[in-house]
Amino acid sequence: MLGLIFFGILIYIIVLIVKYNKLKANAFSKEEVRKAAQEQAKKIKYKEPVISCDYCGCAVDTRKNKVCPHCGAPYDKDDEWSARFNVSEQFIEKSTEKVISQRERKAEIESKKVLKKLKKTIFILVGTLTGILVLGLAISIADTHSRYRKNEELNDKPYYEFVPADYAACGDGIIYDDGKVKVTVNGFYYTEDGSEIVKVGLLVENTLDKAIKLSLSCNSINGIATSNDYIYMYDSFKKKSTTQIYEDMYYITDSLITEMVFNDIAVRSEDYNYRKIMSQPVTISTSADTKRLSNPTDEEINASTLVYSNEQADIYAYTKEDDKDGFYLYIKNKSESGLYLEKVDLNIDGEITSSYGLYKDYLPSNYLYVSRLIHSDDSTIEDLTGKKVFFTLSVSCKENPSYDFSTEYLDISDLFKQ
């Protein structure tokens, strides 16, 4: 749209320039004006065709008579006739100059009007272009500044008032340090009104002479792993900067963090010439009182159905009263290595389908995985009551590939009895 407007203005400017040049050219077209003066002279020549005879003084109508009708004398040498018939070159020149002067004056007035419009249009065009360039530069600068995370205040929002927790990260709190970029957990904060929210302070130090993109996720805390990340961020940080930021963690019982596992950290420069990925998940322990934790109890886990067990994991399945289109899993990682829960496939009444609810989730050693609702990606399957339902789970281990396994199709039809 903007391009069409500029194109229209340019066309208008070209039209004005052509019109201006045409006016100037017409003002000085002397041959054209001289021709007009000669035509005017012809009109003057024949304005009074009646003359007086030089010999007898009788009136001669030159339109009817070739000689004097009274005395027969010729009048082709008559001064009066010659004066009217042969208009002088001086008259034509004078008339030409007069007409030229008039046309010059008119052309000057008209060309000034056109020139004024032309200048005004060019001024508008230049002003608009300048305004757009300034606006674009301002937006670019604002975008450059806004796309980088800056030092943040702990209580920068009016909803909650956070105060320091009575526990801290054990050791140096470093979760990533490749010699160029370092990320440190440097504080925990909670609200005194009982809200299940914890703010985690993170210090990001970038010593590179270029801006970076930092991605970071944590899906496991206090012995529990979930499909939902407690922390997930993908942000930009300026070159040679130290930035204090805060990340919110929700649904934290007793506002308490005893341990958190960062399962994915990656850093790259914005020009992609520098890329680093954390090789192994990092665990941060805290000085919090573990007795205050209230995770799923053994009674709750044992009340579910144990559907699979091997040396690496125990898998439990259960349902909730309000959810008839799917099921939930508890998975205990009994191994000394972290496991990746790759995917769940379903077999419902003989039809194999993929699922939603679990995909490449990380399960640290000795942690319990609590899944979201796992259900078919076929939206027409809304009620599993009375159906034959089977599922299979694929598990991998980067630390020790010998721990990789995949279950057979496990029968959980009893969970959906009528």
Side-chain angles (χ1 to χ4, degrees), residues 232-407:
Y232 178 80
M233 60 172 283
Y234 180 68
D235 290 304
S236 299
F237 295 86
K238 292 180 182 179
K239 63 181 181 180
K240 293 187 178 297
S241 64
T242 298
T243 311
Q244 177 67 55
I245 61 174
Y246 299 93
E247 290 291 323
D248 293 338
M249 299 177 68
Y250 295 92
Y251 309 111
I252 309 300
T253 306
D254 298 325
S255 299
L256 189 67
I257 302 292
T258 61
E259 186 178 78
M260 57 195 310
V261 181
F262 292 88
N263 53 290
D264 181 40
I265 299 178
V267 181
R268 69 166 176 82
S269 60
E270 290 189 336
D271 61 6
Y272 288 90
N273 290 328
Y274 178 87
R275 301 184 69 181
K276 297 287 183 179
I277 299 176
M278 181 176 67
S279 59
Q280 297 292 337
V282 174
T283 300
I284 295 293
S285 299
T286 76
S287 57
D289 183 2
T290 57
K291 294 179 181 180
R292 290 165 53 192
L293 286 174
S294 55
N295 290 322
T297 64
D298 289 338
E299 288 77 10
E300 290 174 315
I301 296 171
N302 292 331
S304 59
T305 303
L306 178 64
V307 294
Y308 185 86
S309 180
N310 64 11
E311 293 182 356
Q312 284 74 48
D314 290 335
I315 303 174
Y316 299 81
Y318 63 100
T319 58
K320 294 180 181 180
E321 185 177 351
D322 295 335
D323 297 313
K324 296 183 178 181
D325 61 337
F327 59 96
Y328 300 83
L329 295 176
Y330 288 133
I331 303 174
K332 286 183 177 180
N333 182 358
K334 301 185 294 184
S335 73
E336 297 178 353
S337 300
L339 302 176
Y340 286 88
L341 311 177
E342 298 290 342
K343 65 175 182 173
V344 166
D345 289 324
L346 302 176
N347 184 320
I348 301 172
D349 282 347
E351 295 293 331
I352 296 176
T353 177
S354 54
S355 70
Y356 286 128
L358 183 156
Y359 183 70
K360 292 187 180 298
D361 294 329
Y362 182 67
L363 177 56
S365 174
N366 298 312
Y367 263 62
L368 173 70
Y369 178 80
V370 180
S371 78
R372 293 183 291 174
L373 177 69
I374 298 172
H375 58 98
S376 173
D377 62 2
D378 184 347
S379 60
T380 63
I381 302 176
E382 298 179 349
D383 192 344
L384 297 178
T385 303
K387 297 182 182 295
K388 290 290 185 181
V389 181
F390 299 81
F391 81 90
T392 179
L393 171 66
S394 300
V395 179
S396 66
C397 180
K398 294 181 180 179
E399 300 172 49
N400 189 345
S402 66
Y403 287 172
D404 293 0
F405 71 91
S406 180
T407 70

Side-chain angles (χ1 to χ4, degrees), residues 192-211:
E192 294 180 318
D193 63 1
S195 301
E196 294 183 343
I197 305 175
V198 172
K199 270 189 183 289
V200 178
L202 296 171
L203 188 68
V204 180
E205 299 173 75
N206 176 24
T207 63
L208 289 169
D209 193 25
K210 56 185 68 178

